Each structure stands twice: as C-alpha cells, then as structure tokens.
Amino acid sequence: MQKRKIPMRKCVASNEMHPKKNLLRVVRTKEGEVFVDLTGKKSGRGAYISKVTENILQAKKKHILDRHLDIKVPDEIYDEMIRYVEREKLFHDQK
C-alpha cells in the first residue's frame, strides 16, 4: 500500500509548516469579502493560520492577515477563529 502525501502549508503567524488540516484558512474574494474558510476549498486569496489561540492573537496584534490578504481584516474574523479553536479544544477534551 502506498502512503498518501499530506499537503503542508505555512502558518502566517508562526512561519511553521503544518498539515493543511491543522490550519484555518482565511479567504479574501475578488469582491473584497473576507471570511474563514473551514472547507479549505473556497476560491480567492487565502492565508493559513494554525489553530493556536496565541498565534491568532499575534496575527491580530501585528495585522499579519491584513498584509497577506491586502485588505483590512475585521476583528470579527479573529473572534470567529478564536471561538472555533476554543470549541474544537473543548470537543477534544471531552473525548
């Protein structure tokens, strides 16, 4: 049986390579809309950030996603990512 290649992406906050499934993708569409892409397949300019609260807060503080997506990313996007990470953490802790 042949091993499958795991797609790797770089976290924009920590500059570390991680499997794509372990990262959140933030997308900017051609219309200028910014949102969190949980599927990882939406069209548009994307930036990946690891599912670590500290990295999300660092990206917010230093406006890292703003630079990568060439648009002002609203605070609600960062809040949504933090809520998602916290929910996922609670879900894994219950197992």
Side-chain angles (χ1 to χ4, degrees):
M1 194 160 102
Q2 195 175 20
K3 278 194 168 187
R4 288 188 78 166
K5 182 181 173 197
I6 299 173
M8 302 290 281
R9 299 290 184 267
K10 186 184 277 193
C11 170
V12 295
S14 66
N15 286 324
E16 295 176 345
M17 296 295 284
H18 295 283
K20 186 177 173 182
K21 288 185 177 184
N22 295 347
L23 299 167
L24 291 171
R25 183 171 186 248
V26 182
V27 177
R28 174 187 47 89
T29 62
K30 288 182 180 180
E31 294 79 29
E33 182 184 1
V34 179
F35 58 92
V36 179
D37 176 18
L38 298 177
T39 65
K41 298 178 181 181
K42 304 277 187 199
S43 64
R45 173 83 173 146
Y48 291 88
I49 189 162
S50 58
K51 296 179 182 177
V52 178
T53 306
E54 292 80 22
N55 288 349
I56 297 169
L57 293 173
Q58 178 185 2
K60 182 178 181 179
K61 180 181 175 186
K62 294 183 177 183
H63 305 285
I64 294 171
L65 288 175
D66 295 6
R67 288 194 305 268
H68 279 273
L69 299 176
D70 296 326
I71 195 168
K72 171 74 173 109
V73 177
D75 289 342
E76 293 82 35
I77 298 295
Y78 295 104
D79 297 339
E80 181 182 343
M81 287 189 291
I82 290 171
R83 281 193 305 273
Y84 177 80
V85 169
E86 295 299 323
R87 253 186 311 201
E88 194 172 81
K89 187 177 177 184
L90 282 173
F91 179 73
H92 285 291
D93 289 346
Q94 291 176 355
K95 283 188 173 181

